[in-house]
């Protein structure tokens, strides 16, 4: 009995635990994996900017297309490359040895990254690059110090001249209504094609997609869970009246 209690206690209280975080303050986001438009945009960003280096080898093209509401022919024409078939896993062809030589460490598979690191970590990491001439690719990262990954989204975000502030509560000037302090980059070395707000939104979509891909059946499980609860509720009503009926003549 004591062991059972310990197991129940641990399983309840370990639900919210997320892996290796960062000591750095971070901005928080709430994911919405039912928002298909956001997931599609995130997936498009992933395939354009990340897939060359990072695989999603525990997910299949077909399932992803179906879950995100992407017709198979569009998926085949735009995303599948190198003769891949829609039923295949989303692997890529970068060899680990080559990657090690180029980046110092090989780009990890990202299927489970949102579960390992947590969405907040990813959201801040992808907004945490800044110029650092001492690093091989000229950038460093606030959340992942001395990271081997280049700032592949520099064309969208621009390159921040110094470490951006993250996890800062926005402070609004009560007189003018302007935001005088908030998270983000205060000075850009080169400009990107997106505004800071648009970039944050793009990263939100990308992290939303990575959250979905880490647990593709989550929406379905939640729906099944809801139906089971409704069923139990109905069953309870019947059981309640049946119980009353049984005991009617005894009391
Ligand atoms: C040019 C190759 C390349 C591209 C493109 C690239 N990355 Fe990376 N990425 C790397 C490398 C190399 C590492 C390993 C860095 C290290 O360990 O120092 C890495 C690490 C990461 C990590 C940290 C993983 C962990 O938990 O340690 C995340 C998250 C990540 N990349 C996300 C992305 C996303 C999202 C994109 C697309 C916007 C992207 N990467 C595009 C090369 C790349």
């Amino acid at each position: 009995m004591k062991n059972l209690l310990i197991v129940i206690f641990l399983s309840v209280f370990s639900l919210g635990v997320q892996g290796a975080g960062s000591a750095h303050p971070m901005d928080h986001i709430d994911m919405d994996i039912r928002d298909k438009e956001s997931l599609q945009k995130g997936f498009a960003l992933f395939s354009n900017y990340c897939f060359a280096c990072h695989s999603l080898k525990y997910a299949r093209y077909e399932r992803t297309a179906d879950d995100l509401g992407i017709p198979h022919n569009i998926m085949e024409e735009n995303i599948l490359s190198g003769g891949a078939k829609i039923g295949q896993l989303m692997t890529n062809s970068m060899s680990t040895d080559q990657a090690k030589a180029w980046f110092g460490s090989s780009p990890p598979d990202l299927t489970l990254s949102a579960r390992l690191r947590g969405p907040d970590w990813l959201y801040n990491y992808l907004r945490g690059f800044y110029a650092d001439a001492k690093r091989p690719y000229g950038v460093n990262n606030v959340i992942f110090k001395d990271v081997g990954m280049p700032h592949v989204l520099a064309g969208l975000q621009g390159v921040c001249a110094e470490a951006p502030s993250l996890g800062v509560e926005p402070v609004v000037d009560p007189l003018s209504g302007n935001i005088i302090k908030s998270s983000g980059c205060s000075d850009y070395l080169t400009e990107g094609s997106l505004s800071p707000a648009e970039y944050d939104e793009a990263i939100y979509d990308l992290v939303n997609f990575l959250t979905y891909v880490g647990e593709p059946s989550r929406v379905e499980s939640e729906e099944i869970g809801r139906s089971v609860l409704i069923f139990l509720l109905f069953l309870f009503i019947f059981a309640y009246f049946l119980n009353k009926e049984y005991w009617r003549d005894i009391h």
Side-chain angles (χ1 to χ4, degrees):
M1 186 65 194
K2 202 170 144 205
N3 285 350
L4 184 67
L5 282 179
I6 292 175
V7 169
I8 292 175
F9 179 84
L10 288 179
S11 48
V12 169
F13 286 97
S14 60
L15 282 182
V17 174
Q18 239 135 21
S22 164
H24 198 280
M26 290 199 270
D27 295 316
H28 169 70
I29 42 170
D30 290 316
M31 303 326 304
D32 179 7
I33 54 168
R34 285 165 190 272
D35 183 348
K36 288 198 178 164
E37 201 189 320
S38 156
L39 295 181
Q40 287 177 1
K41 284 196 233 159
F43 184 39
L45 266 179
F46 184 88
S47 42
N48 287 333
Y49 291 97
C50 321
F51 199 26
C53 294
H54 295 280
S55 56
L56 292 174
K57 66 177 178 190
Y58 302 107
R60 282 181 202 280
Y61 292 103
E62 189 172 20
R63 162 106 205 223
T64 308
D66 292 345
D67 286 348
L68 268 53
I70 304 172
H72 286 190
N73 61 333
I74 293 192
M75 187 80 165
E76 277 163 342
E77 279 157 29
N78 297 292
I79 313 270
L80 265 66
S81 58
K85 299 267 182 316
I86 194 148
Q88 283 178 350
L89 294 165
M90 294 196 257
T91 50
N92 63 8
S93 51
M94 181 176 279
S95 92
T96 3
D97 296 342
Q98 241 169 5
K100 266 222 170 85
W102 290 334
F103 308 111
S105 50
S106 49
D109 182 86
L110 292 185
T111 326
L112 297 172
S113 63
R115 300 188 68 178
L116 173 72
R117 299 288 202 174
D120 283 358
W121 189 94
L122 291 174
Y123 180 67
N124 287 272
Y125 167 66
L126 293 166
R127 291 156 62 250
F129 285 94
Y130 63 96
D132 180 352
K134 288 196 278 310
R135 300 292 305 150
Y137 288 99
V139 285
N140 210 326
N141 192 290
V142 184
I143 299 294
F144 192 146
K145 198 173 169 316
D146 294 345
V147 70
M149 174 170 143
H151 186 14
V152 295
L153 297 172
L156 302 181
Q157 186 191 22
V159 178
C160 197
E162 50 201 60
S165 46
L166 295 169
V168 179
E169 286 288 322
V171 178
V172 180
D173 181 1
L175 291 179
S176 64
N178 293 335
I179 296 176
I180 43 179
K181 208 172 115 192
S182 71
S183 283
C185 177
S186 50
D187 183 20
Y188 288 91
L189 203 64
T190 56
E191 296 279 326
S193 59
L194 300 182
S195 72
E198 284 167 344
Y199 182 72
D200 286 357
E201 208 178 302
I203 297 302
Y204 174 90
D205 293 337
L206 184 53
V207 175
N208 207 15
F209 168 70
L210 288 172
T211 307
Y212 148 77
V213 94
E215 206 178 352
S217 51
R218 180 159 191 147
V219 170
E220 215 178 340
S221 321
E222 281 175 7
E223 271 157 19
I224 295 174
R226 202 164 301 131
S227 317
V228 169
L229 285 180
I230 292 172
F231 170 75
L232 286 178
L233 195 71
F234 272 111
L235 193 69
F236 171 77
I237 297 169
F238 284 111
Y240 174 77
F241 285 111
L242 191 64
N243 182 51
K244 251 183 133 169
E245 190 62 29
Y246 277 157
W247 289 90
R248 199 169 49 180
D249 300 332
I250 299 174
H251 289 304

